[in-house]
């Protein structure tokens, strides 16, 4: 459009300026790439230098590019050593042999008689998929649930496998045992998205907790407004800090649901490597079942939605809140030396010899 004086309008002039600027950027792209790369690297070094030890990502070096693949699972020996470190932080120690029935928190632990397997499923760590697969291997199920009905594996159909309802511990001490754990940051985000955010999900929404968070943190008292308001992620974190996590298993610490120190798991599965190490699990059980994968379209855990949301949301949270949340979940981080959300390879564990 041209104005009455024959000159381009402001909008047209702005468009021409943007096109010209884009052409200049393209012409100078190689030089700009070098400058941008240097700036990003300097920013990473600056941020990580000021982080407390528990949140400092792995150092960035020239021979260790950010995009390298870290998808080789940590050795089991290293994971067991990390689990012992976490127990030391908790002030407890494993004493052989395992006595699963002495465990204080049996609600999430299952025993499958036919395949002689003990499994502890931590909520928001892929436990539904594992329970379904183990019930198929056991013979309790003949086929998989539709993903919209997967929650049913936590109902009466699995009740007879729950350890707290099993009367005899004969021979159980020698049976194969494993547990699945997850990076606390992505587990936290996944729990919030599934139970509190109002996003459509395959799980059961917890409006009671969501309303309580809005009431306690936002100060909302109108019952009608409470019925349709949802807490923000920051409000959720503040609620966790105020009440020292919650009694709900989707948000409480993972170590509270594991049978430690009364039991020693034969195999520890970081959720981030489930689709790789599940073959080891099935070989131990001597059967083959297809484990349902993540609902996310990305197979690389570093590119999945909860990972991306965690990096985005947590980077906007005040550092004081981050530090307090870490303090609540520090033993969970220690169980696999899990990376911080600022790490290029978040949410994977940081362990020696990754390649």
């Amino acid at each position: 459009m041209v104005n009455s004086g024959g000159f381009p309008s402001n909008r047209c002039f702005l468009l021409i300026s943007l096109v010209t600027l884009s052409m200049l950027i393209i012409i100078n792209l190689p030089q700009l790439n070098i400058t941008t790369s240097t700036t990003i690297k300097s920013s990473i070094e600056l941020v990580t230098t000021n982080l407390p030890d528990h949140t400092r990502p792995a150092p960035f070096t020239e021979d260790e590019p950010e995009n390298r693949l870290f998808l080789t699972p940590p050795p089991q020996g290293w994971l067991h050593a990390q689990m012992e470190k976490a127990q030391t932080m908790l002030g407890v120690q494993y004493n052989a042999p395992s006595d699963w029935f002495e465990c204080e928190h049996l609600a999430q632990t299952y025993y499958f008689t036919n395949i002689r397997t003990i499994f502890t499923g931590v909520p928001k760590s892929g436990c539904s998929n594992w329970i379904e697969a183990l019930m198929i291997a056991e013979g309790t199920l003949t086929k998989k649930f539709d993903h919209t009905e997967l929650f049913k594996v936590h109902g009466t159909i699995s009740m007879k496998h729950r350890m707290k309802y099993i009367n005899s511990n004969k021979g159980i001490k020698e049976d194969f045992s494993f547990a699945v754990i997850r990076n606390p940051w992505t587990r936290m985000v996944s729990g919030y998205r599934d139970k509190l955010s109002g996003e459509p999900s395959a799980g059961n929404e917890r409006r009671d907790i969501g309303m309580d968070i809005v009431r306690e943190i936002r100060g909302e008292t109108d019952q009608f407004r409470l019925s349709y308001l949802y807490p923000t992620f920051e409000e959720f974190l503040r609620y966790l800090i105020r009440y020292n996590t919650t009694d709900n298993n989707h948000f409480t610490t993972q170590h509270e649901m594991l049978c430690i120190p009364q039991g020693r798991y034969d195999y520890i599965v970081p959720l981030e490597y489930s689709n790789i190490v599940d073959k080891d699990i099935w070989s131990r059980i001597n059967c083959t079942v297809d484990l349902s994968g993540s609902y996310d379209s990305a197979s690389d855990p570093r590119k999945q939605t909860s990972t991306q949301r965690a990096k985005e949301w947590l980077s906007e949270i005040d550092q004081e809140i981050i530090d307090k949340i870490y303090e609540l979940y520090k033993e969970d981080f220690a169980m696999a030396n899990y990376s911080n959300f600022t790490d290029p390879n978040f949410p994977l564990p940081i362990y020696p010899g990754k390649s």
Side-chain angles (χ1 to χ4, degrees):
M1 178 181 294
V2 179
N3 62 18
S4 59
F7 293 102
S9 66
N10 290 338
R11 183 177 299 175
C12 185
F13 180 76
L14 177 60
L15 178 61
I16 294 171
S17 300
L18 289 173
V19 171
T20 304
L21 178 60
S22 300
M23 293 177 66
L24 288 172
I25 291 173
I26 293 171
I27 293 171
N28 295 280
L29 190 57
Q31 181 178 355
L32 284 171
N33 279 343
I34 294 172
T35 305
T36 304
S37 177
T38 304
T39 303
I40 291 174
K41 178 182 175 183
S42 300
S43 299
I44 291 173
E45 291 174 344
L46 177 62
V47 171
T48 58
T49 300
N50 295 328
L51 284 171
D53 288 341
H54 62 259
T55 54
R56 186 174 296 122
F60 178 94
T61 61
E62 292 296 340
D63 61 347
E64 192 170 291
E66 287 179 276
N67 62 351
R68 68 177 182 161
L69 292 177
F70 277 5
L71 295 180
T72 302
Q76 282 298 304
W78 180 84
L79 283 167
H80 279 106
Q82 286 299 130
M83 186 64 74
E84 290 174 6
K85 287 182 181 179
Q87 291 186 60
T88 299
M89 293 168 67
L90 291 166
V92 298
Q93 183 178 12
Y94 169 72
N95 294 307
S98 294
D99 194 344
W100 301 99
F101 287 90
E102 289 298 316
C103 178
E104 294 181 12
H105 309 285
L106 279 175
Q108 299 301 132
T109 298
Y110 298 76
Y111 180 63
F112 300 91
T113 309
N114 295 338
I115 57 176
R116 300 190 63 179
T117 299
I118 298 165
F119 168 69
T120 298
V122 174
K124 305 313 302 175
S125 293
C127 66
S128 299
N129 292 334
W130 277 105
I131 294 169
E132 178 189 59
L134 289 166
M135 285 199 295
I136 290 174
E138 177 77 2
T140 306
L141 288 178
T142 57
K143 63 179 182 178
K144 293 184 177 182
F145 284 107
D146 180 83
H147 75 92
T148 60
E149 297 185 322
L150 188 57
F151 66 90
K152 292 181 179 179
V153 301
H154 301 290
T156 56
I157 193 170
S158 65
M159 200 69 70
K160 66 179 181 180
H161 299 300
R162 291 180 182 262
M163 189 79 86
K164 66 179 182 179
Y165 298 121
I166 295 174
N167 296 322
S168 174
N169 64 353
K170 184 178 180 181
I172 288 181
K173 294 178 181 180
E174 292 76 33
D175 288 343
F176 175 66
S177 61
F178 75 103
V180 182
I181 58 177
R182 185 180 188 179
N183 188 305
W185 290 131
T186 49
R187 177 173 176 259
M188 210 174 297
V189 168
S190 179
Y192 167 78
R193 292 179 62 207
D194 185 35
K195 303 300 178 185
L196 304 173
S197 69
E199 286 187 48
S201 71
N204 292 320
E205 189 178 52
R206 289 303 306 267
R207 285 295 294 138
D208 55 331
I209 299 177
M211 291 170 64
D212 196 44
I213 293 173
V214 174
R215 184 186 300 109
E216 292 290 325
I217 304 301
R218 200 179 302 180
E220 180 62 61
T221 56
D222 185 270
Q223 284 300 121
F224 177 72
R225 286 177 57 80
L226 282 171
S227 68
Y228 64 81
L229 291 175
Y230 288 83
T232 65
F233 182 65
E234 180 174 332
E235 288 172 335
F236 165 58
L237 297 184
R238 291 182 180 277
Y239 186 82
L240 292 179
I241 293 169
R242 180 177 294 186
Y243 294 101
N244 193 26
T245 76
T246 75
D247 293 331
N248 186 278
N249 287 340
H250 295 88
F251 311 120
T252 194
T253 54
Q254 297 174 70
H255 65 78
E256 288 185 63
M257 288 173 279
L258 298 178
C259 285
I260 56 175
Q262 294 84 4
R264 185 181 190 275
Y265 294 97
D266 296 310
Y267 209 104
I268 299 166
V269 180
L271 174 69
E272 296 76 15
Y273 300 98
S274 279
N275 63 340
I276 300 175
V277 303
D278 68 316
K279 297 178 181 63
D280 291 343
I281 299 297
W282 298 128
S283 67
R284 298 287 191 100
I285 299 174
N286 196 28
C287 66
T288 302
V289 178
D290 289 331
L291 180 68
S292 298
S294 168
Y295 303 130
D296 202 290
S297 59
S299 58
D300 186 336
R302 297 168 301 174
K303 298 178 181 179
Q304 291 175 351
T305 303
S306 284
T307 299
Q308 300 305 313
R309 295 281 176 86
K311 291 167 71 173
E312 176 187 348
W313 294 348
L314 290 164
S315 66
E316 298 172 352
I317 302 297
D318 185 80
Q319 185 64 42
E320 182 181 357
I321 295 177
I322 295 295
D323 289 345
K324 288 180 179 179
I325 290 292
Y326 171 83
E327 189 65 25
L328 290 175
Y329 293 87
K330 61 183 178 183
E331 293 86 4
D332 287 359
F333 281 100
M335 288 193 296
N337 197 31
Y338 271 116
S339 56
N340 187 47
F341 61 88
T342 54
D343 192 300
N345 289 289
F346 171 75
L348 304 179
I350 300 173
Y351 65 95
K354 286 196 289 189
S355 60

